[in-house]
């Protein structure tokens, strides 16, 4: 069970959420942490929320569909779902398991353990036709690296880092940002064993703080704004000196995943 923040969580919290302007086009090999530190004065109490897409760009996780050779399974699924065979081949390569393949949708469990549509692969906000972005190879490791880069470039300030991506929800319409990578952040606030205001013990409540920070960040940008980095202030009670377990701690174990076992 992830460590509970030192605060009881009962104090009121005021948040400020602001996007970082002037971020250049990120290319393979760029140090995102250094870019952030050169454009925003951050403190160790801040939470820096970063769009997955620029992390994928920096890590070279961009693929040209013309260079992908679909195999028989990908071709069969592509025909059934009316999808591009090259895209389906990449989805299968990025996935450990296909959970759903119907109505034009592929829901998979990625090698990271994320359950999402199309293994998180998409083509938005990419220069050039026929290219797609894969998820970072290890989003938690990416967050740890970016946190270290910010510290080195800012004179030692190591804010929490959250890497976010848009996910659909199985039982709700629309997408919301969630945390797929974290460093220096208590991603869950575990209320089990505490009491509500009437003294009843809570048995199941765990607040997904990292997902909520990711969703809050998305409110100050849009998909065409060109502002992939947002600073959230007011969550210092959840910022930790050590990098912590990362967003992997939010993933529901497959044995408890009711959606994946339907």
């Amino acid at each position: 069970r992830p460590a509970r923040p030192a605060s009881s969580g009962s104090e009121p919290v005021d948040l400020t959420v602001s996007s970082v302007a002037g971020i250049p086009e990120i290319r393979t090999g760029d140090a995102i942490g250094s870019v952030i530190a050169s454009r925003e004065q951050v403190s160790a109490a801040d939470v820096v929320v970063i769009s997955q897409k620029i992390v994928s760009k920096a890590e070279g996780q961009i693929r040209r569909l013309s260079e992908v050779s679909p195999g028989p399974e990908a071709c069969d699924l592509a025909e059934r779902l009316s999808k591009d065979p090259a895209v389906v081949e990449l989805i299968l390569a990025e996935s450990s398991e296909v959970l759903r393949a119907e109505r034009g949708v592929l829901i998979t469990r990625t090698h990271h353990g994320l359950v999402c549509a199309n293994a998180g692969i998409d083509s938005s906000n990419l220069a050039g036709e026929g290219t797609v972005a894969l998820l970072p190879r290890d989003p938690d490791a990416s967050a740890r690296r970016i946190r270290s880069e910010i510290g080195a470039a800012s004179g030692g300030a190591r804010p929490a880092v959250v890497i976010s991506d848009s996910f659909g929800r199985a039982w709700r319409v629309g997408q919301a940002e969630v945390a797929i990578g974290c460093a220096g952040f208590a991603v869950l606030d575990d209320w089990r064993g505490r009491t509500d205001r009437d003294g009843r013990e809570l048995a199941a409540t765990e607040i997904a703080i990292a997902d909520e920070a990711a969703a809050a960040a998305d409110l100050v940008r849009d998909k065409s704004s060109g502002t992939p980095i947002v600073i959230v202030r007011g969550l210092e009670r959840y910022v930790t000196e050590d990098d912590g377990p990362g967003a992997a701690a939010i993933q529901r174990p497959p044995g408890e995943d009711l959606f994946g076992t339907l």
Side-chain angles (χ1 to χ4, degrees):
R1 184 184 298 185
R4 180 181 297 172
S7 167
S8 67
S10 60
E11 302 88 345
V13 174
D14 292 323
L15 298 184
T16 62
V17 185
S18 56
S19 59
V20 178
I23 301 298
E25 180 66 25
I26 298 297
R27 304 184 187 281
T28 301
D30 285 349
I32 293 175
S34 298
V35 172
I36 294 169
S38 70
R39 285 159 176 81
E40 182 78 14
Q41 185 173 355
V42 296
S43 78
D46 293 342
V47 181
V48 180
V49 182
I50 305 169
S51 169
Q52 160 269 320
K53 187 64 60 64
I54 67 167
V55 179
S56 293
K57 288 179 179 179
E59 295 182 358
Q61 288 287 81
I62 308 298
R63 301 289 184 270
R64 293 184 181 277
L65 296 179
S66 61
E67 298 174 356
V68 177
S69 299
E73 183 181 3
C75 290
D76 177 62
L77 278 171
E79 183 176 1
R80 286 170 47 199
L81 301 173
S82 298
K83 299 177 78 69
D84 186 326
V87 172
V88 176
E89 179 64 33
L90 290 173
I91 294 169
L92 294 178
E94 292 293 300
S95 302
S96 62
E97 183 180 6
V98 175
L99 300 177
R100 294 289 184 278
E102 57 183 273
R103 288 174 281 178
V105 176
L106 261 175
I107 304 296
T108 72
R109 191 183 309 276
T110 70
H111 295 300
H112 321 90
L114 299 168
V115 175
C116 54
N118 301 324
I121 296 172
D122 80 281
S123 59
S124 63
N125 294 316
L126 293 175
E129 292 294 323
T131 59
V132 297
L134 314 183
L135 293 180
R137 293 182 182 88
D138 184 340
D140 284 329
S142 301
R144 293 191 293 270
R145 183 186 67 251
I146 293 169
R147 190 186 195 206
S148 293
E149 291 170 354
I150 295 173
S154 66
R158 282 166 44 87
V161 171
V162 173
I163 298 173
S164 69
D165 196 12
S166 296
F167 273 34
R169 287 83 54 79
W171 296 282
R172 297 180 71 84
V173 174
Q175 292 77 41
E177 290 288 306
V178 301
I180 65 168
C182 289
F185 204 47
V187 296
L188 291 168
D189 190 1
D190 189 352
W191 280 68
R192 292 174 296 178
R194 303 189 206 180
T195 57
D196 66 13
R197 66 180 184 176
D198 296 315
R200 288 186 291 268
E201 183 173 330
L202 299 170
T205 302
E206 294 180 274
I207 311 299
I209 299 297
D211 285 346
E212 293 187 338
D218 200 45
L219 295 174
V220 299
R221 65 186 180 203
D222 61 47
K223 302 304 181 186
S224 60
S225 65
T227 52
I229 297 167
V230 172
I231 309 297
V232 181
R233 295 186 168 100
L235 293 176
E236 57 269 15
R237 69 175 68 179
Y238 300 108
V239 178
T240 60
E241 179 63 30
D242 65 312
D243 287 335
I250 309 174
Q251 294 176 18
R252 191 179 299 278
E256 299 176 12
D257 183 357
L258 298 179
F259 170 79
T261 58
L262 286 176

